[in-house]
Amino acid sequence: MSPARSPETPKSPVTVKAAKVRARKAADAGTPGAPKAEGLRLRARLRYLYHGTSPLAVRFRLAVIAVDFAIIAFFLAAPILQQAGVVFYVIDYVIALILVLDLAGRALAHTDIRDWLKKPATWVDLFILGTLLFPNQLGNFGFLRLLRLWTLLNSDFFWRTVGRKWDDTRVEEITRALAALVTFIFVVTGFVYATFRGRHEGISGYLDALYFTVATLTTTGFGDITLPGNWGRVLSIVVMLTGITLFLRLASTLFRPHKVRFPCPTCGLQKHDPDAVHCKACGEVLCIPDEGD
């Protein structure tokens, strides 16, 4: 005689609900909502890499900055490397691909893409990308690619990664001033080279354009190379006035008393004198750490 079967134990409501949740998650893996979840995870990873403070995130940003400097070096040597022909344009498109990936990563890592698009540096980078993708149409504006140096050294991305080691704000100010001066020199050089090469006997190569720019910017004006016509004179005047301004700015950052970065707990003022005891804005007592020298 077979033993009587015990009645099946009914499942509790909690067990049933948990089973339904598991089934729903399994079903969602193949639904259109899954790509959205993957997109959110991708944005979270990019935000972690571009804005995080962990060693992995810092190493990632350092690698991006190193690639940026290599690209800027290529832009600087571009007038000479153009003689390579097809190889030059292949490198151009490879750099364009790198910039597309970087810009897409920065956009996705930003909290609000529309706010990211409002930044002037973003539009500068997009224009540089355009000169890489359409070299035949925008090739004459290739000298503006060196603005990438200015956008990099003035970006929060750079200073959160490299400049975070310094509380002395003078390092940052000197770097920004030097970046503005160097960028201006090479942008003007590229403009003179692209505009007057072959049209003026004094400018037959990139070195001639650089020589003219530096001689004019420093107001030395040897006179062996001058730009023809009224527009040439106007350009020379602009270069001289802007050069003096940039030199004065650099000298100011080099010789004026430096400040340290220490946020005031009350008003949030960031920069103070190294020996400051009170905040100049609100009078709050400050406890700026120092080495006791």
Side-chain angles (χ1 to χ4, degrees), residues 241-253:
L241 293 177
T242 308
I244 292 173
T245 303
L246 294 176
F247 270 123
L248 289 176
R249 181 189 173 192
L250 180 59
S252 174
T253 58

Side-chain angles (χ1 to χ4, degrees), residues 19 44 148 164 183 197 283:
R148 180 81 177 181
R164 62 194 181 93
T183 302
R197 183 188 54 156

Side-chain angles (χ1 to χ4, degrees), residues 25-265:
K25 288 183 177 180
D28 286 344
T31 61
K36 183 177 181 180
E38 286 295 329
L40 292 175
R41 283 194 287 270
L42 175 62
R43 293 193 67 179
R45 293 191 192 100
L46 290 172
R47 193 172 291 119
Y48 164 76
L49 291 173
Y50 276 93
H51 302 287
T53 57
S54 69
L56 176 62
V58 173
R59 286 196 298 270
F60 170 80
R61 292 199 297 273
L62 285 173
V64 172
I65 290 171
V67 172
D68 263 335
F69 277 117
I71 291 173
I72 291 168
F74 173 78
F75 290 161
L76 184 60
I80 301 172
L81 296 177
Q82 280 181 337
Q83 300 175 0
V86 177
V87 176
F88 174 81
Y89 291 105
V90 170
I91 298 175
D92 248 22
Y93 285 116
V94 170
I95 292 176
L97 176 61
I98 294 173
L99 289 185
V100 166
L101 294 175
D102 181 44
L103 288 171
R106 291 174 192 260
L108 292 174
H110 206 277
T111 306
D112 187 352
I113 295 180
R114 288 177 294 182
D115 179 63
W116 177 75
L117 286 172
K118 294 178 182 178
K119 296 181 178 181
T122 300
W123 287 100
V124 171
D125 290 338
L126 289 174
F127 180 80
I128 293 171
L129 178 61
T131 64
L132 291 167
L133 293 175
F134 307 102
N136 293 328
Q137 292 79 8
L138 300 175
N140 289 334
F141 298 97
F143 61 90
L144 292 176
R145 295 175 181 179
L146 287 168
L147 289 173
R148 180 81 177 181
L149 175 64
W150 179 81
T151 60
L152 174 63
L153 295 183
N154 282 275
S155 66
D156 181 62
F157 175 85
F158 179 84
W159 290 107
R160 276 190 294 104
T161 306
V162 177
R164 62 194 181 93
K165 299 180 180 180
W166 295 292
D167 291 329
D168 186 348
T169 58
R170 182 169 52 181
V171 174
E172 181 176 342
E173 291 173 353
I174 291 174
T175 304
R176 290 176 185 266
L178 188 60
L181 178 61
V182 172
T183 302
F184 179 76
I185 289 174
F186 285 104
V187 167
V188 172
T189 298
F191 176 77
V192 172
Y193 178 74
T195 306
F196 293 95
R197 183 188 54 156
R199 302 178 185 177
H200 180 53
E201 60 182 9
I203 299 176
S204 57
Y206 189 79
L207 186 60
D208 293 330
L210 179 61
Y211 171 77
F212 164 80
T213 302
V214 174
T216 306
L217 183 140
T218 57
T219 67
T220 305
F222 292 112
D224 51 345
I225 298 179
T226 57
L227 299 184
N230 292 331
W231 285 113
R233 294 185 178 91
V234 170
L235 177 62
S236 300
I237 293 171
V238 171
V239 172
M240 284 186 282
L241 293 177
T242 308
I244 292 173
T245 303
L246 294 176
F247 270 123
L248 289 176
R249 181 189 173 192
L250 180 59
S252 174
T253 58
L254 285 171
F255 297 110
R256 73 184 177 190
H258 73 283
K259 295 181 181 294
V260 295
R261 190 181 301 279
F262 182 82
C264 174

